[in-house]
Amino acid sequence: MLLSPARRQLAAPQHPPQPTPSRPEVMQDKIICLPKRVQPSQNHSSVSNVSQAVASTTPLPPPKPSATNPATVEMKGLKTDLDLQQYSFINQICYERALHWYAKYFPYLVLIHTLVFMLCSNFWFKFPGSSSKIEHFISILGKCFDSPWTTRALSEVSGEDSEEKDNRKNNMSRSNTIQSGPEGSLVNSQSLKSIPEKFVVDKSTAGALDKKEGEQAKALFEKVKKFRLHVEEGDILYAMYVRQTVLKVIKFLIIIAYNSALVSKVQFTVDCNVDIQDMTGYKNFSCNHTMAHLFSKLSFCYLCFVSIYGLTCLYTLYWLFYRSLREYSFEYVRQETGIDDIPDVKNDFAFMLHMIDQYDPLYSKRFAVFLSEVSENKLKQLNLNNEWTPDKLRQKLQTNAHNRLELPLIMLSGLPDTVFEITELQSLKLEIIKNVMIPATIAQLDNLQELSLHQCSVKIHSAALSFLKENLKVLSVKFDDMRELPLWMYGLRNLEELYLVGSLSHDISKNVTLESLRDLKSLKILSIKSNVSKIPQAVVDVSSHLQKMCVHNDGTKLVMLNNLKKMVNLTELELVHCDLERIPHAVFSLLSLQELDLKENNLKSIEEIVSFQHLRKLTVLKLWHNSITYIPEHIKKLTSLERLSFSHNKIEVLPSHLFLCNKIRYLDLSYNDIRFIPPEIGVLQSLQYFSITCNKVESLPDELYFCKKLKTLKIGKNSLSVLSPKIGNLLFLSYLDVKGNHFELLPPELGDCRALKRAGLVVEDALFETLPSDVREQMKTE
């Protein structure tokens, strides 16, 4: 039951009112409601209800104050007879029922929208598949921008020496790029084409890099290579950016649409009808939304900010689909810098470069230096020159088989320019070196005559080629692929010796891909170690002046040897490991032939040897490493032979007719099955070298010791038990191999062989001790 004002006044506690602490407007109650007077209706049927309502809302007139008691005078006005708790209750009900939801939840909507926008813009910075690429790219980009090598490389193709203004501008913006990331790349900037051809050149670093800077730049090249291979494989970064941009645009459109429609719902005064007459005596209330004025202003400001952000998103969406961002061309960079080998990129790598261009294209231009193989090769060359100084190279000089001063370089990253400072160099050997570039400075090597290229891909400057055409005498090329065979070698007109090692052809039906050698007018020696099935047709071009021909065929059968007949001036011929079963008849036409080597073939019978009698100049015949079982008697007709080798065959009997070739100075019969040496060996008065190592000889004829010019005697690994004292007749003997026999002692007459020393005597130590002490001492003295 509600109390009357008089009773409430009496019931109130008699103490002074406490001051209410002041609060900011935004901290006041969310809504404040007061009872609302309802006007009488003209409808007769509702007169009684209206009268009742008016009676309920119109309090009794206050008692007139007494004129004699001013303290009892009350304020005039409308009294509602409502308590503070009732007002609070009404405020809460009206806030929930009468206030529009947009006015109630506007701050929360703003918070949710902001969180969604933040999530769309920053999720890819946290997602492992994209954030790792972004962070790595920004890190590499900054290092490439600041690298002294970038400045040096660009300064070499720039017409200007400095651009301090651009330098200051980019130094200030570089930190912002790293902090803001790709989201800041939407800022408009000048296009790549409009960038001037001026670059930052630091004079202190444009000259030469120190070793540490060179190594850092080299490491950057490796990082860029690996990063490119990894990032170009997919487009997760591009796909995620497109999705988040589309989501932000959709979100922007939704926010603008419903906010524009509902912003009018934020009202300062709200009518509230609550059926609580039984509790308060009132039904209609007029409420004041304390935050309405502030929310309405904030909503308009919020719409403005979202509109600006949305327009930016729309521009980003337009930028994404205006052209393909998964392909990036360095065409303008190639035109402006003159570095023509900068490759175009794709997928995520291309997308990130497009975003960097939106911020500042100079970053892409400086970064492109590290995508260029030419730039990388220049850096490698610089580091190589620092590592291989002229003094260090001179320590590697040695004398080769041709008695030339040679510099061997194996498995380097390139050819040091310092090589061309060693003017005394006569032979240069390059082995397993990729991307060799022979510069014009090779002309400084006035003594250079020999060049060896083993598994090297070589390019040559035109001036260097002119020098080699005039000076190079010997060229050796070992290749695994025909592309490693330098085409410029066919124009070396003063070349005298050419050695080719590598695969040319496996199939007889395929033409050997050697080009014409007709320009090699001075070629005298040609050696081909390959797997050819026939003599290359290109050899015919030089057959008239060729003096030595070597074919090492690695077991491939060599047929169609008729081209040999055209080599009328040939003096030396080697057909090694060519799977020959008989001596080729074409050989017998080479009347100028002096040396013939048929090593490692399948010769079993050499009856054709009689035809060698027509080769009056033949002095050296090597039939070693075959399957020859006997030596025909016709060999006696080869009276011009001086060197004869039958080692590593299956010969059991030596014919006495062999020793009628009385000019023989070198006779090698080692590694056979010979049991007996004919006494006719004494006829060979010119014999200086005789070897029967690894046979089954049980005794040596005394006539052997009539060969007084003998210097080398190899009789080891036989079945000899006694060494004749007549060995003392060999006064010129300097090398004696008797190891692996059944000797019990050595004859003291070995002391008469004054040229024989301990180093030239191959014998067991125990057997050496059987010699007299004075003989041993004599042999030990130098």
Side-chain angles (χ1 to χ4, degrees):
M1 181 178 179
L2 298 177
L3 298 176
S4 65
R7 292 180 179 178
R8 282 191 281 108
Q9 185 178 2
L10 293 175
Q14 301 298 317
H15 54 76
Q18 298 295 327
T20 303
S22 63
R23 293 183 294 173
E25 184 180 356
V26 294
M27 298 301 294
Q28 296 290 337
D29 293 335
K30 298 177 180 179
I31 192 170
I32 300 173
C33 299
L34 292 177
K36 181 178 180 182
R37 183 186 296 275
V38 179
Q39 297 297 329
S41 175
Q42 298 298 326
N43 193 343
H44 179 74
S45 61
S46 60
V47 170
S48 60
N49 294 334
V50 172
S51 300
Q52 183 179 359
V54 171
S56 64
T57 59
T58 305
L60 296 175
K64 296 182 179 180
S66 175
T68 60
N69 188 7
T72 60
V73 177
E74 294 187 10
M75 298 291 295
K76 293 182 179 180
L78 184 63
K79 294 188 176 181
T80 61
D81 299 326
L82 293 181
D83 192 81
L84 181 61
Q85 295 295 329
Q86 291 173 321
Y87 275 116
S88 177
F89 177 74
I90 293 168
N91 292 344
Q92 295 296 329
I93 291 179
C94 288
Y95 179 80
E96 295 297 331
R97 295 184 181 181
L99 196 63
H100 194 271
W101 66 268
Y102 181 77
K104 289 189 293 184
Y105 302 118
F106 173 75
Y108 305 104
L109 293 175
V110 173
L111 177 62
I112 293 173
H113 296 332
T114 304
L115 291 177
V116 172
F117 282 130
M118 289 178 61
L119 181 63
C120 292
S121 300
N122 296 283
F123 175 73
W124 70 334
F125 292 133
K126 304 300 180 183
F127 184 69
S130 56
S131 62
S132 59
K133 293 181 180 179
I134 297 172
E135 293 175 2
H136 198 183
F137 177 70
I138 295 298
S139 174
I140 292 178
L141 189 67
K143 292 178 180 178
C144 292
F145 191 97
D146 293 330
S147 174
W149 173 250
T150 309
T151 301
R152 170 174 173 150
L154 292 176
S155 68
E156 292 180 355
V157 295
S158 174
E160 298 292 333
D161 291 333
S162 64
E163 187 66 24
E164 297 181 358
K165 182 178 179 180
D166 287 345
N167 191 18
R168 289 195 300 269
K169 179 190 73 172
N170 288 286
N171 285 339
M172 293 175 61
S173 63
R174 183 165 56 254
S175 59
N176 295 334
T177 304
I178 297 175
Q179 292 176 2
S180 63
E183 189 66 26
S185 66
L186 300 176
V187 181
N188 288 328
S189 64
Q190 54 186 344
S191 67
L192 184 61
K193 187 175 182 179
S194 63
I195 292 296
E197 295 184 2
K198 300 179 181 179
F199 298 95
V200 180
V201 178
D202 188 354
K203 293 182 179 180
S204 62
T205 59
L209 302 181
D210 57 28
K211 186 175 181 180
K212 181 179 180 181
E213 291 173 341
E215 292 297 328
Q216 289 175 348
K218 183 179 179 181
L220 271 178
F221 273 105
E222 294 299 324
K223 286 184 179 180
V224 171
K225 276 186 177 180
K226 293 179 181 178
F227 180 75
R228 179 188 174 189
L229 291 175
H230 171 66
V231 176
E232 278 193 315
E233 292 177 354
D235 58 354
I236 183 175
L237 202 62
Y238 173 80
M240 188 172 293
Y241 192 81
V242 170
R243 290 168 186 168
Q244 76 170 34
T245 304
V246 171
L247 182 60
K248 287 190 291 185
V249 170
I250 295 174
K251 185 69 176 177
F252 153 71
L253 296 176
I254 292 175
I255 291 174
I256 293 298
Y258 87 81
N259 274 273
S260 300
L262 298 179
V263 68
S264 60
K265 299 297 181 182
V266 181
Q267 299 177 354
F268 187 76
T269 303
V270 181
D271 291 333
C272 177
N273 297 324
V274 186
D275 191 12
I276 53 173
Q277 280 184 296
D278 295 339
M279 299 177 57
T280 62
Y282 301 99
K283 180 179 181 181
N284 301 318
F285 297 91
S286 180
C287 302
N288 174 23
H289 184 201
T290 59
M291 304 291 288
H293 182 73
L294 178 62
F295 281 3
S296 63
K297 298 298 185 289
L298 288 177
S299 62
F300 282 110
C301 292
Y302 176 66
L303 287 176
C304 292
F305 286 125
V306 171
S307 298
I308 295 174
Y309 186 80
L311 292 176
T312 306
C313 293
L314 287 173
Y315 167 76
T316 305
L317 196 63
Y318 166 78
W319 176 71
L320 284 172
F321 296 107
Y322 175 71
R323 57 174 175 168
S324 176
L325 299 183
R326 285 188 282 189
E327 295 179 357
Y328 187 92
S329 174
F330 286 97
E331 181 63 28
Y332 295 129
V333 179
R334 290 193 286 264
Q335 293 177 0
E336 294 174 3
T337 63
I339 305 177
D340 297 329
D341 69 324
I342 304 174
D344 295 337
V345 295
K346 58 183 181 179
N347 290 335
D348 280 347
F349 197 19
F351 176 64
M352 287 189 285
L353 288 172
H354 279 295
M355 299 198 76
I356 289 298
D357 278 349
Q358 293 298 307
Y359 179 79
D360 191 342
L362 186 57
Y363 281 90
S364 297
K365 183 172 291 186
R366 294 176 71 87
F367 182 71
V369 172
F370 287 84
L371 294 173
S372 167
E373 290 187 7
V374 171
S375 177
E376 183 180 8
N377 292 335
K378 288 183 179 179
L379 176 64
K380 289 180 179 179
Q381 189 67 39
L382 182 65
N383 290 335
L384 196 64
N385 295 339
N386 293 335
E387 180 181 0
W388 292 95
T389 61
D391 293 337
K392 186 175 180 180
L393 290 174
R394 282 188 173 91
Q395 296 175 2
K396 294 178 65 65
L397 290 175
Q398 61 188 26
T399 303
N400 64 5
H402 295 89
N403 200 27
R404 293 189 177 101
L405 194 61
E406 183 177 80
L407 175 62
L409 298 176
I410 303 175
M411 298 183 68
L412 299 185
S413 58
L415 180 61
D417 293 330
T418 50
V419 169
F420 309 112
E421 299 179 19
I422 308 176
T423 55
E424 66 271 22
L425 190 64
Q426 296 176 309
S427 174
L428 179 59
K429 182 178 181 180
L430 308 178
E431 186 170 353
I432 315 179
I433 302 178
K434 296 182 179 180
N435 301 321
V436 176
M437 178 63 186
I438 300 180
T441 51
I442 195 175
Q444 300 174 7
L445 305 180
D446 296 330
N447 298 315
L448 185 66
Q449 298 180 357
E450 183 175 350
L451 180 61
S452 299
L453 305 175
H454 292 184
Q455 297 179 0
C456 296
S457 178
V458 180
K459 296 180 180 179
I460 188 168
H461 192 274
S462 58
L465 180 58
S466 299
F467 170 79
L468 293 179
K469 285 182 178 180
E470 298 296 331
N471 295 271
L472 198 63
K473 303 297 182 183
V474 181
L475 176 62
S476 176
V477 182
K478 183 178 181 180
F479 55 94
D480 291 333
D481 193 326
M482 283 297 300
R483 288 173 293 184
E484 296 177 358
L485 199 61
L487 299 179
W488 47 264
M489 75 175 187
Y490 300 106
L492 302 176
R493 55 177 174 267
N494 288 329
L495 192 67
E496 296 179 357
E497 301 179 22
L498 178 60
Y499 301 88
L500 301 178
V501 181
S503 178
L504 291 175
S505 175
H506 291 278
D507 190 351
I508 190 173
S509 62
K510 294 182 180 179
N511 292 326
V512 178
T513 52
L514 279 179
E515 294 186 12
S516 176
L517 304 177
R518 62 173 57 94
D519 292 334
L520 307 184
K521 303 297 184 180
S522 301
L523 192 64
K524 295 180 175 61
I525 299 176
L526 176 60
S527 175
I528 301 177
K529 186 175 182 181
S530 184
N531 51 357
V532 296
S533 56
K534 60 182 180 180
I535 301 296
Q537 184 63 31
V539 178
V540 179
D541 298 332
V542 293
S543 59
S544 60
H545 49 83
L546 203 62
Q547 297 180 3
K548 181 178 179 180
M549 175 72 181
C550 304
V551 179
H552 296 239
N553 222 28
D554 292 334
T556 302
K557 190 174 185 62
L558 185 64
V559 296
M560 299 172 64
L561 297 174
N562 292 332
N563 286 339
L564 289 175
K565 295 180 180 180
K566 299 179 181 180
M567 303 179 188
V568 293
N569 294 317
L570 204 63
T571 59
E572 297 182 34
L573 177 62
E574 294 182 9
L575 301 177
V576 178
H577 209 181
C578 296
D579 195 24
L580 300 177
E581 297 180 356
R582 305 185 71 85
I583 300 176
H585 290 281
V587 175
F588 304 134
S589 301
L590 306 177
L591 299 181
S592 300
L593 194 64
Q594 299 177 10
E595 298 184 17
L596 177 63
D597 188 351
L598 300 178
K599 181 183 178 182
E600 293 182 351
N601 284 285
N602 291 326
L603 300 178
K604 297 180 181 179
S605 173
I606 54 173
E607 291 292 340
E608 304 89 347
I609 202 171
V610 67
S611 299
F612 283 133
Q613 63 180 324
H614 303 295
L615 307 182
R616 303 296 184 182
K617 298 180 180 180
L618 186 64
T619 57
V620 178
L621 180 59
K622 296 181 180 180
L623 301 173
W624 49 338
H625 293 270
N626 281 281
S627 301
I628 300 172
T629 56
Y630 72 98
I631 301 175
E633 295 182 357
H634 308 304
I635 197 171
K636 65 183 180 181
K637 296 182 179 181
L638 308 183
T639 55
S640 60
L641 283 181
E642 296 180 3
R643 295 174 62 92
L644 182 61
S645 177
F646 280 105
S647 66
H648 295 83
N649 278 283
K650 299 178 181 179
I651 301 172
E652 296 182 357
V653 178
L654 287 179
S656 58
H657 298 82
L658 171 63
F659 304 105
L660 295 179
C661 303
N662 52 14
K663 292 184 180 180
I664 291 180
R665 295 183 292 107
Y666 179 101
L667 181 58
D668 189 356
L669 301 170
S670 58
Y671 295 90
N672 280 281
D673 296 325
I674 301 172
R675 296 179 178 272
F676 176 73
I677 303 297
E680 286 79 3
I681 192 174
V683 177
L684 304 179
Q685 291 298 305
S686 300
L687 190 64
Q688 298 180 11
Y689 179 99
F690 181 59
S691 175
I692 55 169
T693 303
C694 288
N695 277 277
K696 300 176 181 179
V697 179
E698 297 180 355
S699 63
L700 294 175
D702 291 341
E703 288 78 3
L704 174 63
Y705 306 108
F706 295 163
C707 305
K708 294 184 179 181
K709 293 183 180 181
L710 202 60
K711 296 180 180 179
T712 300
L713 179 59
K714 296 182 179 181
I715 57 175
K717 297 182 181 179
N718 278 280
S719 301
L720 300 172
S721 57
V722 177
L723 185 60
S724 173
K726 294 183 180 181
I727 196 173
N729 296 333
L730 305 179
L731 300 180
F732 298 100
L733 189 66
S734 60
Y735 187 91
L736 175 61
D737 180 7
V738 297
K739 192 173 183 179
N741 284 283
H742 305 303
F743 297 131
E744 295 182 358
L745 53 85
L746 294 177
E749 285 77 9
L750 279 176
D752 297 334
C753 303
R754 298 295 180 177
L756 185 63
K757 301 300 179 182
R758 181 65 183 93
L761 179 60
V762 181
V763 66
E764 293 85 353
D765 291 339
L767 193 58
F768 179 74
E769 295 298 328
T770 61
L771 289 172
S773 59
D774 58 335
V775 176
R776 296 199 305 269
E777 292 298 328
Q778 173 188 326
M779 289 186 176
K780 290 179 181 179
T781 58
E782 296 295 334

